[in-house]
Each structure stands twice: as structure tokens, then as C-alpha cells.
Amino acid sequence: MTSHIMPTYNRLPITFDRGEGAWLFDEKNNRYLDALSGIAVCNLGHAHPAIQHAICEQSKKLIHTSNLYGIPGQELLADKLTEKSGMDNVFFCNSGAEANEAAIKLARKYGHEKGIENPAIIVMEKSFHGRTLATLSATGNSKVQYGFTPLVEGFVRVPYNNIKAVEIALAQNKNIVAILVEPIQGEGGINIPAPLYINDLRKLCDQFDLLLMLDEIQTGIGRTGKFLAFQHNDIIPDVCTLAKALGNGVPIGACLARGKAAELLSSGSHGSTFGGNPLACSAALAVLATLDEQNLIKSATQKGELIRLGLGEHLKNNNHVVDIRNKGLMIGIELDSPCAELIKLALQQHLLINVTNETTIRLLPPLIIDDQQIELLVETLSGIINNYTEQTA
Ligand SMILES: Cc1ncc(COP(=O)(O)O)c(C=O)c1O
């Protein structure tokens, strides 16, 4: 049958009917272990009772009013997010790209207020910030930009995890007003920078009066073993963007700002019809409460360690494995050649994984994954990798 959906996705030959925790079930009730969480969205797993309860109860009262009126759940969510992050205020939207659009607007406004007519933002090679025109222009992947020129101006690109390159860019361009960066690159291949990279960027931002804008859309909400990844570095950014796991599947994005960045927008300067509506905020409030109650963020560190050590043990004799790296439950297994085929091979074994940057297997399992599921994940995946590299070698 002809599909009437625009062919923007290369879909796998599977559909799911329901989920339960780390499991997804197809229409014939076959069970699949989800080691991807809808790409870092369902951090609490599927059909979590607390989220079900929150959105059912909220939907009985109100789904949407408008940002023309007060929204108590949105106020409460902003209180919790600022308390947990150390930021000052929040703009709510519906997706990661929109959260980054808000950040880009903040940077431009900051520049204009400093008298810079053509403000520019430093962005990184191999970054991913979204698919809207500004965010695809900020993204460091020519495939994402292909066919969509002219790109939005005002981005200066440097290699990731390279402070010297940032210093050179700053010396060459007096229009730079901000740095937009992922604390760990997700789409770019689970690239974990040097431990003090983000601290050094913070120092440069202080020195040059720039906004440090962290895209925590993939790393945030407990994924790396802290509520936000920058909390590993003991610094605080000026702007921080969230989406994905904030609503555990109910669309919600947020752009958090602090200090001078929190004072840039005024009434009428930005907005969103749906952003922060009562339903989305009820889901996000339930996410935050559940993460705390179940001590899930702390457990992400220990679970990530178990997975990395397990994979390390099973793959230790496989010399096609270049690296196994993780921060909490953000895990990359880099092979020495392109391995996208592994996604289908894993699916055949009822395991959901992903491959980024062609050679890196990406695992983003839900934070509620248990020890037995971890064992199953490690054994199944290492078996698949070992078989695959043996046959393709
Ligand atoms: C780091 C990062 N930023 C931004 C985005 C874009 O988010 P969305 O698809 O919700 O617009 C993503 C999505 O993968 C992401 O990983």
C-alpha cells in the first residue's frame, strides 16, 4: 500500500503495540528489549504508572488553555527545574529544536544589547542541534544541511573537545557572543570530551563575556548519572536546553537561562501556543518526582558501569572494537568500520539499538533497566557484535 507519510524516515520493519518498562511488544505480543528508549526519551521506560496517572488525571481536568492565562503546573515545573539546575528561569516549548531556537534567539539578543550588529555563536563539528533552519545551520553535519541552503548565518564552527580552536576563533572574530555545545555529543558518536573541557569553555565565556549555552537535550534528565551533565563539572551555564526525557514521551522542551541571559526576553519577544501546557507539565512533574523517589539518577552511574564492564569482558578479544565508552547510561561502542547493519541483526534478536556516526553503536537504555535485563543486553549484543565482526572480517 502507498504510504501517505512524507518519506523522511528510514523505518525498520517493525511496529510496536505496547510497552512495559524496558520492554516493547509487537502486535503478535513478541517482546523486545529497548536499549534506546525512543532515543533518550523514555528514561522511565514505557507505560510508567506515575506518568500514566499524572496525564490521565490532568486530562480529566484540562489539557490546554493558553499562555494567555496562568498555568499553575508550568509555574511549579519551572520552580523544580530551576531548583534542580541552579538556573533562574525557563521558557517552555515542545521539542529539542525549539529549545535550541530559543537559545539562539537569546544569544542574538545578548549580542544586540552589547551593540554587536551581527552576533555569532561558536558551534562544534559533529554536533546535532535539530532540524529547523537555525538549528540545522548550527548542526555540524553536512547531511543534515544538504538541500536546505541558504543556511542561517551567524555560526562559527570549530572542532569539538579542542579549546585551542575556540581561543583562535575568539581571537579572529569579535562578533562572537556565545558558545553552543553538547556536554557529550550524542548523534555525533557518543563523543565524551576531556574532563575539564566544559570547565575551560566556562572560563573562556567568563573571560570574553559570552553565554555558555549547553544543549542537554540528549544528556539531560538523569541520563549520564547527574540530573544534568554539566553537574559532573561543577560549573553552571548561562543557558541550558532540555527536551526528550523531560516528558518521558509527552512532547515538552525547555530553555533555561541564568543571570544576564535570564533577563533578555520580554513580553512578545518569544512564544509558543502549546509550550508548557497543563498536560505536558503534568508529565514532566511526574518525571521529576519519580526520578527522585526511585533514586534512578544515581543508579544510572552504576548501571552504566555494569554495562560497560560486561561489554568490555565479552568483547575483550574482538580487535574490531575500537572503544567502549560511557557516562552513565549514555553508551557508545565504536567499531573499526561502518556497522549500521547491526541494527537489523539486533532487531532479529529482539534487541533495539542504534548506530551513530556510522561506526558507533549507541545504547541509551531506560534508567529503570534491571540487572537481568542488563545481563541480557550485554550477552545478546556482544554475541551479535562478535558474530558480525567475524563474518565481515
Ligand atoms: C543534542 C540534541 N539536540 C537537539 C535535538 C533535537 O531535538 P528534537 O528532535 O526534539 O527537535 C536532539 C535530537 O536528537 C539532540 O540529540
Side-chain angles (χ1 to χ4, degrees), residues 230-280:
F230 71 71
Q231 291 165 335
H232 291 287
N233 294 76
D234 233 356
I235 56 110
I236 186 151
D238 302 293
V239 176
C240 169
T241 52
L242 301 175
K244 287 194 183 274
L246 181 56
N248 208 59
V250 178
I252 180 165
C255 176
L256 283 64
R258 185 179 66 92
K260 53 202 176 194
E263 289 161 17
L264 293 166
L265 295 183
S266 52
S267 168
S269 58
H270 200 39
S272 162
T273 296
F274 291 132
N277 84 4
L279 187 78

Side-chain angles (χ1 to χ4, degrees), residues 15 25 39 98 135 288 304 387:
T15 51
F25 297 83
I39 322 184
E98 280 175 82
T135 58
L288 300 187
N387 267 339

Side-chain angles (χ1 to χ4, degrees), residues 346-368:
L347 184 65
Q348 285 165 10
Q349 307 277 323
H350 289 202
L351 175 65
L352 305 180
I353 60 163
N354 179 245
V355 169
T356 60
N357 198 30
E358 297 192 351
T359 53
T360 301
I361 301 158
R362 173 169 55 165
L363 305 180
L364 300 162
L367 275 52
I368 48 85

Side-chain angles (χ1 to χ4, degrees), residues 20-22 34 36-52 54-55 220-221 223 243-253 279-288 290-291 296 364-368:
E20 197 183 317
D34 185 1
L36 198 58
S37 311
I39 322 184
V41 169
C42 300
N43 281 9
L44 299 179
H46 301 284
H48 192 287
I51 311 300
Q52 278 179 46
I55 60 180
I221 324 293
R223 168 72 37 204
K244 287 194 183 274
L246 181 56
N248 208 59
V250 178
I252 180 165
L279 187 78
C281 290
S282 72
L285 282 166
V287 166
L288 300 187
T290 308
L291 284 172
L296 286 170
L364 300 162
L367 275 52
I368 48 85

Side-chain angles (χ1 to χ4, degrees), residues 91-392:
F91 173 81
F92 286 107
C93 50
N94 314 286
S95 67
E98 280 175 82
N100 284 335
E101 286 278 343
I104 293 164
K105 283 179 74 172
L106 283 180
R108 287 196 167 184
K109 193 94 194 317
Y110 184 60
H112 285 293
E113 291 198 357
K114 288 207 293 182
I116 296 176
E117 249 176 66
N118 288 305
I121 302 170
I122 291 186
V123 290
M124 305 298 157
E125 288 174 8
K126 293 197 177 167
S127 61
F128 185 80
H129 298 295
R131 302 278 191 164
T132 59
L133 272 178
T135 58
L136 75 80
S137 302
T139 289
N141 179 343
S142 54
K143 279 192 202 152
V144 171
Q145 298 171 340
Y146 178 78
F148 300 117
T149 52
L151 298 181
V152 172
E153 290 173 26
F155 297 105
V156 173
R157 197 168 307 286
V158 299
Y160 189 61
N161 195 20
N162 184 333
I163 285 292
K164 194 85 210 143
V166 177
E167 287 170 347
I168 293 169
L170 288 171
Q172 288 173 347
N173 189 333
K174 297 296 163 214
N175 287 336
I176 292 169
V177 295
I179 301 175
L180 173 62
V181 60
E182 295 154 87
I184 295 172
Q185 289 186 328
E187 304 299 308
I190 311 289
N191 302 322
I192 304 174
L196 291 182
Y197 176 61
I198 299 294
N199 302 66
D200 291 342
L201 289 179
R202 176 70 273 173
K203 280 188 200 145
L204 284 178
C205 286
D206 290 339
Q207 192 185 335
F208 287 85
D209 194 19
L210 318 174
L211 300 182
L212 177 62
M213 310 203 298
L214 296 182
D215 178 340
E216 292 251 13
I217 287 158
Q218 197 161 142
T219 52
I221 324 293
R223 168 72 37 204
T224 70
K226 295 273 185 191
F227 180 61
L228 297 169
F230 71 71
Q231 291 165 335
H232 291 287
N233 294 76
D234 233 356
I235 56 110
I236 186 151
D238 302 293
V239 176
C240 169
T241 52
L242 301 175
K244 287 194 183 274
L246 181 56
N248 208 59
V250 178
I252 180 165
C255 176
L256 283 64
R258 185 179 66 92
K260 53 202 176 194
E263 289 161 17
L264 293 166
L265 295 183
S266 52
S267 168
S269 58
H270 200 39
S272 162
T273 296
F274 291 132
N277 84 4
L279 187 78
C281 290
S282 72
L285 282 166
V287 166
L288 300 187
T290 308
L291 284 172
D292 283 347
E293 279 157 25
Q294 301 184 1
N295 224 353
L296 286 170
I297 299 182
K298 219 171 173 186
S299 81
T301 301
Q302 170 241 330
K303 290 174 182 180
E305 199 65 1
L306 263 181
I307 296 174
R308 188 174 52 79
L309 292 175
L311 289 170
E313 183 56 31
H314 284 77
L315 297 171
K316 67 177 182 230
N317 297 323
N318 188 329
N319 50 24
H320 296 283
V321 175
V322 175
D323 192 21
I324 304 174
R325 49 183 178 263
N326 81 305
K327 192 89 182 169
L329 286 170
M330 192 163 182
I331 304 158
I333 307 146
E334 187 178 340
L335 302 192
D336 60 1
S337 58
C339 60
E341 221 178 300
L342 281 171
I343 299 172
K344 279 193 184 151
L345 296 173
L347 184 65
Q348 285 165 10
Q349 307 277 323
H350 289 202
L351 175 65
L352 305 180
I353 60 163
N354 179 245
V355 169
T356 60
N357 198 30
E358 297 192 351
T359 53
T360 301
I361 301 158
R362 173 169 55 165
L363 305 180
L364 300 162
L367 275 52
I368 48 85
I369 192 167
D370 67 26
D371 287 355
Q372 270 181 327
Q373 291 163 335
I374 286 178
E375 211 176 300
L376 180 67
L377 164 63
V378 166
E379 283 180 11
T380 312
L381 182 60
S382 33
I384 295 165
I385 296 173
N386 283 334
N387 267 339
Y388 171 78
T389 53
E390 234 169 69
Q391 277 166 23
T392 52

